[in-house]
Amino acid sequence: MKKEEISRCMSLLAERGVRWTVQRYAVLEYLCEHRDHPTAEDIYRGLKERLPAISRATVYNTLELLKEHGLVKELVIEKERARYDFDTSEHVHLKCRVCGRVYDLGVPPPSVSAEAEGHRVEELVCYAVGVCRGCREEEGA
Ligand code: ZN
Ligand code: MN
């Protein structure tokens, strides 16, 4: 499953003339394996040991590239840092205000008319904030 998903992404980029490097592949693979919405820094730290030559710039540039081609989604939930999601389907996220993790809620985002009130709606940015299941359990304990 994982391999298939990665090779689907790779062949799409190859068709579009994007050159593959070990480092680009590693970023894509990391995102495929870590579905907890890592930041660029998380990815960099996660790959540094295995790929000592990788730089933050390479990670950022690769994320931009993957984003441009619609292979990953950038989540703007925190002002100071973006998170990345290999799952590009429409789904709402929950940010836990206790542990700071970002979870999938498994529900579609609310729908808004493309011409609400005569405006042109181009994008709906929507996420939930609360306390995650794990943190609630600790609260209750
Ligand atoms: Zn939490
Ligand atoms: Mn997600």
Side-chain angles (χ1 to χ4, degrees):
M1 190 64 181
K2 187 204 95 183
K3 266 224 165 94
E4 281 167 26
E5 286 176 284
I6 294 178
S7 47
R8 179 183 57 83
C9 294
M10 288 180 72
S11 49
L12 188 134
L13 287 193
E15 273 169 30
R16 296 181 186 176
V18 176
R19 197 169 55 90
W20 271 103
T21 64
V22 171
Q23 299 185 341
R24 284 177 174 174
Y25 180 85
V27 172
L28 184 65
E29 189 183 48
Y30 187 95
L31 283 162
C32 184
E33 285 171 353
H34 296 81
R35 304 296 182 102
D36 57 345
H37 315 102
T39 64
E41 187 65 22
D42 294 333
I43 299 168
Y44 170 73
R45 291 197 187 144
L47 296 177
K48 186 79 188 135
E49 202 173 314
R50 186 158 55 91
L51 298 170
I54 201 164
S55 66
R56 285 186 173 83
T58 302
V59 173
Y60 282 106
N61 294 339
T62 304
L63 288 168
E64 276 303 305
L65 178 85
L66 296 172
K67 195 180 88 179
E68 274 168 33
H69 288 274
L71 297 177
V72 302
K73 220 174 199 178
E74 186 182 65
L75 308 181
V76 183
I77 295 178
E78 290 136 313
K79 215 183 334 176
E80 61 281 9
R81 59 202 190 138
R83 291 173 174 274
Y84 295 87
D85 199 344
F86 189 79
D87 179 356
T88 57
S89 69
E90 293 283 338
H91 60 284
V92 176
H93 295 95
L94 170 88
K95 180 182 162 66
C96 176
R97 60 176 174 74
V98 179
C99 68
R101 293 195 179 94
V102 172
Y103 295 85
D104 289 330
L105 277 190
V107 294
S111 69
V112 172
S113 156
E115 299 210 343
E117 303 284 323
H119 303 296
R120 185 173 68 230
V121 176
E122 294 177 340
E123 194 186 2
L124 178 67
V125 180
C126 160
Y127 62 89
V129 179
V131 180
C132 76
R133 207 160 44 202
C135 289
R136 288 187 70 192
E137 275 165 21
E138 276 184 33
E139 267 180 355

